[in-house]
Amino acid sequence: MTTNEPQPVTPLPFIDALLGYQRTAAIKAAIELGVFDAIGAHGADLEAVCAKTNTSAHGARILCDYLTVLGFLEKAGTIWRQTSVTATFIDSRSPSSMASVIRFLAGPELLDMFLADPAGYIRRGGTDGPGHTAPEDPIWVTFARSMTPFTIAAAKATATYVASWPKAPRRVLDIAAGAGMFGICVAQAIPEALVVGVDWRDVVALAAENATLAGVGARYRTIAGDAFSADLGTDYDLILLPNILHHFSHATCVTLLQRVRTGLAPNGRAVIVEFIPDEDRINPPVPASFAFIMVALTQHGDAFTASEYAAMARDAGLQAGPPVPLPPSQERLIELVV
Amino acid sequence: MTTNEPQPVTPLPFIDALLGYQRTAAIKAAIELGVFDAIGAHGADLEAVCAKTNTSAHGARILCDYLTVLGFLEKAGTIWRQTSVTATFIDSRSPSSMASVIRFLAGPELLDMFLADPAGYIRRGGTDGPGHTAPEDPIWVTFARSMTPFTIAAAKATATYVASWPKAPRRVLDIAAGAGMFGICVAQAIPEALVVGVDWRDVVALAAENATLAGVGARYRTIAGDAFSADLGTDYDLILLPNILHHFSHATCVTLLQRVRTGLAPNGRAVIVEFIPDEDRINPPVPASFAFIMVALTQHGDAFTASEYAAMARDAGLQAGPPVPLPPSQERLIELVV
């Protein structure tokens, strides 16, 4: 008996990928309607799901069965139950819930940018214009309000990392602070740290609110404006560059890194936190796939490799260390020194 | 050494499903730009891909790497190659190519219907109006022009099945003929068969063209119009109902099946061909998932189970047989007799 017979080639992987948007639709509908929460830890039948979500039986039954096929629910007889992924990461009452990320990752702006003309951004190599990098683009408020669960793991791991340096940084600048998580986590990990967050006006206002909620508001300042032109101050022990450089070309990144170099105190360090694929650009899958997000959403952005970040640093008069994993996040950190 | 340790729960399956639309975008861009064909059987480097597809190096590199992560290309050094799925089912020169299906399955109409407001169609249990079932809706021309590679396997298997009956059918009616494949395959399998295809005017015109191309034009007739109201004729040995009943409610299906019963010759038979999930509605995955497509695209449609088709048949004065597999298609066939 041999079990080495070649599997027949089927078109299912192709159809499955092509219909990927249907998964997006199902997940988005279920979260918006509260279907996962309605099913909860103890499971629910169709009548209970419909009653709790104000949904037609026809729609709820088809959605819950499809979510079962996708692995986000289990079905036993007439009862659907949450799977462990759903209970941990989708139920809105879970402390690790990522449900809010649908507002950005499956919001109308991103869906349109990806799907309206995918051949167009591949042909050009990016968006037809500055995309969402224009000043005060409102999408960054949506980003900051919804993506915290997606960025928090890397922020915590980064804070732990910099707090372990022989001399913990005190003056900290967080460039493109977003919801503020990186700077806030550093402030929580280092009780003497004073953190300055830079981002668009409406975004840093949210970061400041979050700092207060996190109990570090007294050590949190903000600079509203453009990281490329605002007065960022000087003499920082640590400058954080979390998920910002991927939006730009090599040359633009060098420009920003030159500003960073100017802002560092003697012996100060900057840290880049990014999805950094291996040099082959196809591993690991999540960082490697991130490049496709950048080509759809930015004019010149990319998922840069460690050697590309090292080249940018060099061109800006800085030296880059090797990439450091930040588990459980899929992002990695690169230290920059003068 | 134990290998039974529980795997940590990660949010990757959630993010992966939520970002499903990015796979759609990548596949669509690659087919529209001719990237898979450019890479061909022998592989290509970035320069060759860009030259053949008139694409930026930045865009082509990111797309090809992402397609490698997704499993549709392989990368060795600087050369991308087709995988077996790509060579067989996506390269436009393959006899089994399904590349054309992107025009319907990832066309702007379907993307909008699925993604504009997924919570809406789940709440209502279907589209807000008749969807694409209105007379002469142009999407059915797109369907007929692009979806043949998707329907041909079931059409061939159906033709083989009915040709094996003790008395092969001669007078054949194909309801909602689309590109005509089911009727045409029957005409090819049964040299004495005369086939009548029913569909909207522009659609049956295409079916007739296809019948001529397939060498059975002399035995192919058409009826342009609505299967619910047109004069369909009588005395048919075989009435084909391929992929039509899933658009409608039970009651509407019964109405159509009553017309079918009237149209059958003594001892005539009808055959339903559909994605028919098991009674649990979650297996097999492809037929079970089809219900989600119907709730997004139709007002009352569904992936009906075998027992639901049997109930429709009974209510229309017909008897339904058990579902018959049609490999390699994932569809199944149900025979109806008076």
Side-chain angles (χ1 to χ4, degrees):
Chain A
M1 296 285 285
T2 174
T3 55
N4 291 343
E5 290 179 26
Q7 292 293 306
V9 181
T10 93
L12 288 182
F14 167 60
I15 298 298
D16 210 48
L18 184 64
L19 301 185
Y21 65 89
Q22 299 181 0
R23 298 174 186 223
T24 308
I27 295 274
K28 191 176 179 183
I31 292 175
E32 287 184 358
L33 293 166
V35 167
F36 293 116
D37 289 10
I39 289 168
H42 301 293
D45 66 7
L46 183 57
E47 197 180 354
V49 172
C50 292
K52 288 184 188 172
T53 61
N54 191 26
T55 299
S56 68
H58 190 67
R61 184 259 291 166
I62 288 176
L63 178 62
C64 291
D65 282 341
Y66 184 49
L67 293 168
T68 304
V69 173
L70 295 181
F72 297 105
L73 295 175
E74 291 165 350
K75 187 182 186 184
T78 60
I79 305 291
W80 291 283
R81 294 182 201 285
Q82 295 183 338
T83 59
S84 55
V85 169
T86 300
T88 309
F89 295 110
I90 316 185
D91 189 308
S92 73
R93 295 157 299 198
S94 163
S96 312
S97 179
M98 291 195 173
S100 65
V101 305
I102 67 162
R103 297 203 298 270
F104 180 75
L105 292 179
E109 300 89 352
L110 260 65
L111 291 179
D112 184 63
M113 292 186 81
F114 271 95
L115 292 171
D117 180 21
Y121 53 80
I122 296 300
R123 192 183 297 113
R124 284 187 303 269
T127 53
D128 186 16
H132 288 291
T133 59
E136 300 290 349
D137 189 299
I139 201 168
W140 299 115
V141 178
T142 304
F143 179 91
R145 285 199 184 278
S146 64
M147 290 292 281
T148 298
F150 196 83
T151 53
I152 190 75
K156 284 183 177 171
T158 299
T160 302
Y161 181 83
V162 301
S164 74
W165 286 345
K167 192 177 168 204
R170 297 200 169 200
R171 283 180 50 80
V172 179
L173 179 67
D174 185 4
I175 293 185
M181 285 305 126
F182 282 81
I184 289 167
C185 287
V186 169
Q188 289 178 318
I190 305 172
E192 307 80 18
L194 177 78
V195 178
V196 181
V198 188
D199 211 314
W200 306 120
R201 186 193 59 230
D202 294 346
V203 179
V204 282
L206 184 64
E209 279 175 39
N210 287 339
T212 301
L213 288 171
V216 298
R219 293 184 284 120
Y220 200 85
R221 306 280 180 275
T222 61
I223 297 173
D226 187 337
F228 287 87
S229 57
D231 180 357
L232 301 177
T234 57
D235 211 32
Y236 292 105
D237 302 314
L238 168 63
I239 299 182
L240 296 162
L241 291 157
N243 301 313
I244 170 72
L245 295 177
H246 58 233
H247 293 93
F248 307 112
S249 67
H250 174 97
T252 304
C253 289
V254 170
T255 301
L256 187 59
L257 291 178
Q258 286 167 333
R259 305 201 89 212
V260 165
R261 182 167 56 90
T262 307
L264 286 175
N267 302 315
R269 294 163 190 233
V271 300
I272 294 166
V273 179
E274 286 284 358
F275 289 111
I276 304 171
D278 296 345
E279 298 299 324
D280 65 10
R281 296 186 193 273
I282 55 173
N283 287 295
V286 170
S289 300
F290 188 73
F292 188 69
I293 299 182
M294 287 303 103
V295 78
L297 300 187
T298 72
Q299 203 161 11
H300 304 291
D302 207 340
F304 295 107
T305 62
S307 66
E308 289 175 321
Y309 281 120
M312 283 175 205
R314 198 165 50 240
D315 291 351
L318 294 164
Q319 281 190 302
V324 177
L326 299 171
S329 159
Q330 301 258 338
E331 295 198 272
R332 293 195 284 175
L333 175 156
I334 290 176
E335 241 182 276
L336 305 176
V337 296
V338 177
Chain B
M1 296 285 284
T2 172
T3 57
N4 290 342
E5 289 179 28
Q7 293 294 304
V9 181
T10 93
L12 288 182
F14 167 61
I15 299 298
D16 210 50
L18 185 64
L19 301 185
Y21 65 90
Q22 299 180 0
R23 299 174 184 221
T24 308
I27 295 274
K28 191 176 178 183
I31 292 175
E32 287 184 358
L33 293 166
V35 168
F36 293 117
D37 289 11
I39 289 168
H42 301 293
D45 66 6
L46 183 57
E47 196 179 356
V49 172
C50 293
K52 288 185 188 173
T53 62
N54 191 26
T55 299
S56 68
H58 191 67
R61 184 259 291 164
I62 288 176
L63 178 63
C64 291
D65 282 342
Y66 184 48
L67 292 168
T68 304
V69 173
L70 295 181
F72 297 105
L73 295 174
E74 291 166 351
K75 188 180 186 184
T78 61
I79 305 291
W80 292 282
R81 293 183 200 285
Q82 295 183 337
T83 59
S84 56
V85 168
T86 299
T88 309
F89 295 110
I90 316 185
D91 189 308
S92 73
R93 295 156 299 197
S94 163
S96 312
S97 179
M98 290 194 174
S100 65
V101 304
I102 67 162
R103 297 204 298 272
F104 180 76
L105 292 179
E109 300 89 350
L110 260 64
L111 292 178
D112 184 63
M113 291 185 82
F114 270 95
L115 292 171
D117 180 20
Y121 53 79
I122 296 300
R123 192 183 296 113
R124 285 187 303 268
T127 54
D128 187 17
H132 287 293
T133 60
E136 299 290 349
D137 190 298
I139 201 168
W140 299 115
V141 178
T142 304
F143 180 91
R145 286 199 185 280
S146 64
M147 289 292 280
T148 297
F150 196 83
T151 54
I152 189 76
K156 284 183 176 170
T158 299
T160 302
Y161 181 83
V162 301
S164 75
W165 286 345
K167 193 177 168 202
R170 298 200 166 197
R171 282 179 51 80
V172 178
L173 179 66
D174 185 3
I175 292 184
M181 286 305 127
F182 282 81
I184 290 167
C185 287
V186 168
Q188 289 178 318
I190 305 172
E192 307 81 17
L194 177 79
V195 177
V196 181
V198 188
D199 212 314
W200 305 121
R201 185 192 60 230
D202 294 348
V203 180
V204 283
L206 184 65
E209 281 175 38
N210 287 339
T212 301
L213 289 170
V216 298
R219 295 185 284 120
Y220 200 84
R221 305 281 180 276
T222 60
I223 297 173
D226 187 337
F228 286 87
S229 57
D231 180 356
L232 301 176
T234 56
D235 212 32
Y236 290 106
D237 302 315
L238 169 63
I239 299 181
L240 296 162
L241 290 157
N243 301 313
I244 170 72
L245 295 178
H246 59 233
H247 293 93
F248 307 112
S249 67
H250 173 97
T252 304
C253 289
V254 170
T255 301
L256 187 59
L257 291 178
Q258 285 168 332
R259 305 201 88 212
V260 165
R261 183 167 57 89
T262 306
L264 286 175
N267 301 315
R269 293 162 190 234
V271 299
I272 293 167
V273 179
E274 287 284 357
F275 288 111
I276 304 173
D278 297 345
E279 297 299 323
D280 65 10
R281 297 186 192 274
I282 55 173
N283 287 295
V286 171
S289 300
F290 188 73
F292 188 70
I293 299 183
M294 287 303 102
V295 78
L297 300 187
T298 72
Q299 204 161 9
H300 304 291
D302 207 340
F304 295 107
T305 62
S307 65
E308 289 175 321
Y309 281 120
M312 282 174 205
R314 200 165 49 239
D315 291 351
L318 294 164
Q319 281 190 301
V324 177
L326 298 171
S329 158
Q330 301 258 339
E331 295 197 274
R332 293 194 284 175
L333 175 156
I334 291 176
E335 241 182 275
L336 305 176
V337 296
V338 176

PDB file of all heavy atoms in Angstrom, chain A residues 158-172:
ATOM      1  N   THR A 158       8.071  45.907  22.590  1.00  0.00           N
ATOM      2  CA  THR A 158       9.052  46.975  22.378  1.00  0.00           C
ATOM      3  C   THR A 158       9.389  47.665  23.697  1.00  0.00           C
ATOM      4  O   THR A 158      10.565  47.941  23.997  1.00  0.00           O
ATOM      5  CB  THR A 158       8.502  48.003  21.364  1.00  0.00           C
ATOM      6  OG1 THR A 158       8.273  47.340  20.119  1.00  0.00           O
ATOM      7  CG2 THR A 158       9.471  49.164  21.155  1.00  0.00           C
ATOM      8  N   ALA A 159       8.370  47.924  24.494  1.00  0.00           N
ATOM      9  CA  ALA A 159       8.593  48.584  25.787  1.00  0.00           C
ATOM     10  C   ALA A 159       9.457  47.724  26.694  1.00  0.00           C
ATOM     11  O   ALA A 159      10.384  48.212  27.353  1.00  0.00           O
ATOM     12  CB  ALA A 159       7.252  48.895  26.446  1.00  0.00           C
ATOM     13  N   THR A 160       9.166  46.437  26.732  1.00  0.00           N
ATOM     14  CA  THR A 160       9.969  45.517  27.543  1.00  0.00           C
ATOM     15  C   THR A 160      11.422  45.543  27.078  1.00  0.00           C
ATOM     16  O   THR A 160      12.361  45.557  27.888  1.00  0.00           O
ATOM     17  CB  THR A 160       9.409  44.085  27.425  1.00  0.00           C
ATOM     18  OG1 THR A 160       8.051  44.103  27.857  1.00  0.00           O
ATOM     19  CG2 THR A 160      10.211  43.099  28.272  1.00  0.00           C
ATOM     20  N   TYR A 161      11.600  45.575  25.756  1.00  0.00           N
ATOM     21  CA  TYR A 161      12.940  45.562  25.179  1.00  0.00           C
ATOM     22  C   TYR A 161      13.722  46.809  25.580  1.00  0.00           C
ATOM     23  O   TYR A 161      14.853  46.716  26.087  1.00  0.00           O
ATOM     24  CB  TYR A 161      12.829  45.457  23.657  1.00  0.00           C
ATOM     25  CG  TYR A 161      14.161  45.410  22.954  1.00  0.00           C
ATOM     26  CD1 TYR A 161      14.868  44.213  22.831  1.00  0.00           C
ATOM     27  CD2 TYR A 161      14.725  46.571  22.416  1.00  0.00           C
ATOM     28  CE1 TYR A 161      16.095  44.177  22.189  1.00  0.00           C
ATOM     29  CE2 TYR A 161      15.947  46.533  21.759  1.00  0.00           C
ATOM     30  CZ  TYR A 161      16.625  45.337  21.656  1.00  0.00           C
ATOM     31  OH  TYR A 161      17.837  45.299  21.022  1.00  0.00           O
ATOM     32  N   VAL A 162      13.146  47.990  25.407  1.00  0.00           N
ATOM     33  CA  VAL A 162      13.919  49.214  25.680  1.00  0.00           C
ATOM     34  C   VAL A 162      14.088  49.440  27.187  1.00  0.00           C
ATOM     35  O   VAL A 162      15.074  50.047  27.626  1.00  0.00           O
ATOM     36  CB  VAL A 162      13.302  50.463  24.998  1.00  0.00           C
ATOM     37  CG1 VAL A 162      13.234  50.275  23.482  1.00  0.00           C
ATOM     38  CG2 VAL A 162      11.934  50.822  25.567  1.00  0.00           C
ATOM     39  N   ALA A 163      13.134  48.913  27.973  1.00  0.00           N
ATOM     40  CA  ALA A 163      13.266  49.049  29.434  1.00  0.00           C
ATOM     41  C   ALA A 163      14.409  48.206  29.976  1.00  0.00           C
ATOM     42  O   ALA A 163      14.894  48.447  31.092  1.00  0.00           O
ATOM     43  CB  ALA A 163      11.947  48.666  30.114  1.00  0.00           C
ATOM     44  N   SER A 164      14.847  47.218  29.171  1.00  0.00           N
ATOM     45  CA  SER A 164      15.921  46.334  29.634  1.00  0.00           C
ATOM     46  C   SER A 164      17.302  46.870  29.290  1.00  0.00           C
ATOM     47  O   SER A 164      18.313  46.258  29.633  1.00  0.00           O
ATOM     48  CB  SER A 164      15.744  44.948  29.008  1.00  0.00           C
ATOM     49  OG  SER A 164      16.116  45.006  27.635  1.00  0.00           O
ATOM     50  N   TRP A 165      17.370  48.005  28.570  1.00  0.00           N
ATOM     51  CA  TRP A 165      18.680  48.579  28.257  1.00  0.00           C
ATOM     52  C   TRP A 165      19.385  48.965  29.555  1.00  0.00           C
ATOM     53  O   TRP A 165      18.721  49.334  30.543  1.00  0.00           O
ATOM     54  CB  TRP A 165      18.507  49.831  27.381  1.00  0.00           C
ATOM     55  CG  TRP A 165      18.140  49.531  25.951  1.00  0.00           C
ATOM     56  CD1 TRP A 165      18.223  48.342  25.295  1.00  0.00           C
ATOM     57  CD2 TRP A 165      17.607  50.478  25.007  1.00  0.00           C
ATOM     58  NE1 TRP A 165      17.787  48.475  23.999  1.00  0.00           N
ATOM     59  CE2 TRP A 165      17.408  49.776  23.780  1.00  0.00           C
ATOM     60  CE3 TRP A 165      17.301  51.842  25.055  1.00  0.00           C
ATOM     61  CZ2 TRP A 165      16.908  50.383  22.639  1.00  0.00           C
ATOM     62  CZ3 TRP A 165      16.810  52.444  23.909  1.00  0.00           C
ATOM     63  CH2 TRP A 165      16.615  51.726  22.712  1.00  0.00           C
ATOM     64  N   PRO A 166      20.739  48.908  29.568  1.00  0.00           N
ATOM     65  CA  PRO A 166      21.478  49.238  30.801  1.00  0.00           C
ATOM     66  C   PRO A 166      21.042  50.584  31.375  1.00  0.00           C
ATOM     67  O   PRO A 166      20.885  50.718  32.587  1.00  0.00           O
ATOM     68  CB  PRO A 166      22.929  49.262  30.328  1.00  0.00           C
ATOM     69  CG  PRO A 166      22.952  48.379  29.124  1.00  0.00           C
ATOM     70  CD  PRO A 166      21.614  48.499  28.473  1.00  0.00           C
ATOM     71  N   LYS A 167      20.847  51.557  30.494  1.00  0.00           N
ATOM     72  CA  LYS A 167      20.356  52.841  30.974  1.00  0.00           C
ATOM     73  C   LYS A 167      18.998  53.088  30.310  1.00  0.00           C
ATOM     74  O   LYS A 167      18.922  53.341  29.098  1.00  0.00           O
ATOM     75  CB  LYS A 167      21.355  53.945  30.605  1.00  0.00           C
ATOM     76  CG  LYS A 167      21.064  55.249  31.310  1.00  0.00           C
ATOM     77  CD  LYS A 167      22.102  56.321  30.996  1.00  0.00           C
ATOM     78  CE  LYS A 167      21.579  57.668  31.499  1.00  0.00           C
ATOM     79  NZ  LYS A 167      22.187  58.783  30.777  1.00  0.00           N
ATOM     80  N   ALA A 168      17.920  52.952  31.092  1.00  0.00           N
ATOM     81  CA  ALA A 168      16.581  53.068  30.513  1.00  0.00           C
ATOM     82  C   ALA A 168      16.356  54.487  29.994  1.00  0.00           C
ATOM     83  O   ALA A 168      16.737  55.462  30.651  1.00  0.00           O
ATOM     84  CB  ALA A 168      15.519  52.720  31.561  1.00  0.00           C
ATOM     85  N   PRO A 169      15.772  54.631  28.810  1.00  0.00           N
ATOM     86  CA  PRO A 169      15.555  55.961  28.231  1.00  0.00           C
ATOM     87  C   PRO A 169      14.545  56.781  29.033  1.00  0.00           C
ATOM     88  O   PRO A 169      13.563  56.242  29.530  1.00  0.00           O
ATOM     89  CB  PRO A 169      15.017  55.643  26.832  1.00  0.00           C
ATOM     90  CG  PRO A 169      14.463  54.267  26.918  1.00  0.00           C
ATOM     91  CD  PRO A 169      15.273  53.550  27.946  1.00  0.00           C
ATOM     92  N   ARG A 170      14.799  58.065  29.140  1.00  0.00           N
ATOM     93  CA  ARG A 170      13.886  58.947  29.881  1.00  0.00           C
ATOM     94  C   ARG A 170      13.137  59.883  28.950  1.00  0.00           C
ATOM     95  O   ARG A 170      11.956  60.088  29.106  1.00  0.00           O
ATOM     96  CB  ARG A 170      14.667  59.757  30.903  1.00  0.00           C
ATOM     97  CG  ARG A 170      15.317  58.832  31.934  1.00  0.00           C
ATOM     98  CD  ARG A 170      15.672  59.593  33.181  1.00  0.00           C
ATOM     99  NE  ARG A 170      16.040  58.673  34.233  1.00  0.00           N
ATOM    100  CZ  ARG A 170      16.037  58.984  35.515  1.00  0.00           C
ATOM    101  NH1 ARG A 170      15.692  60.196  35.910  1.00  0.00           N
ATOM    102  NH2 ARG A 170      16.382  58.098  36.425  1.00  0.00           N
ATOM    103  N   ARG A 171      13.863  60.530  28.042  1.00  0.00           N
ATOM    104  CA  ARG A 171      13.189  61.417  27.082  1.00  0.00           C
ATOM    105  C   ARG A 171      12.886  60.598  25.824  1.00  0.00           C
ATOM    106  O   ARG A 171      13.801  60.135  25.140  1.00  0.00           O
ATOM    107  CB  ARG A 171      14.080  62.612  26.736  1.00  0.00           C
ATOM    108  CG  ARG A 171      14.108  63.675  27.826  1.00  0.00           C
ATOM    109  CD  ARG A 171      15.009  64.854  27.434  1.00  0.00           C
ATOM    110  NE  ARG A 171      14.738  65.407  26.103  1.00  0.00           N
ATOM    111  CZ  ARG A 171      13.742  66.256  25.814  1.00  0.00           C
ATOM    112  NH1 ARG A 171      12.904  66.653  26.761  1.00  0.00           N
ATOM    113  NH2 ARG A 171      13.601  66.706  24.587  1.00  0.00           N
ATOM    114  N   VAL A 172      11.597  60.460  25.532  1.00  0.00           N
ATOM    115  CA  VAL A 172      11.160  59.543  24.476  1.00  0.00           C
ATOM    116  C   VAL A 172      10.281  60.281  23.472  1.00  0.00           C
ATOM    117  O   VAL A 172       9.354  61.000  23.865  1.00  0.00           O
ATOM    118  CB  VAL A 172      10.369  58.359  25.079  1.00  0.00           C
ATOM    119  CG1 VAL A 172       9.883  57.412  23.977  1.00  0.00           C
ATOM    120  CG2 VAL A 172      11.204  57.622  26.116  1.00  0.00           C
TER     121      VAL A 172
END
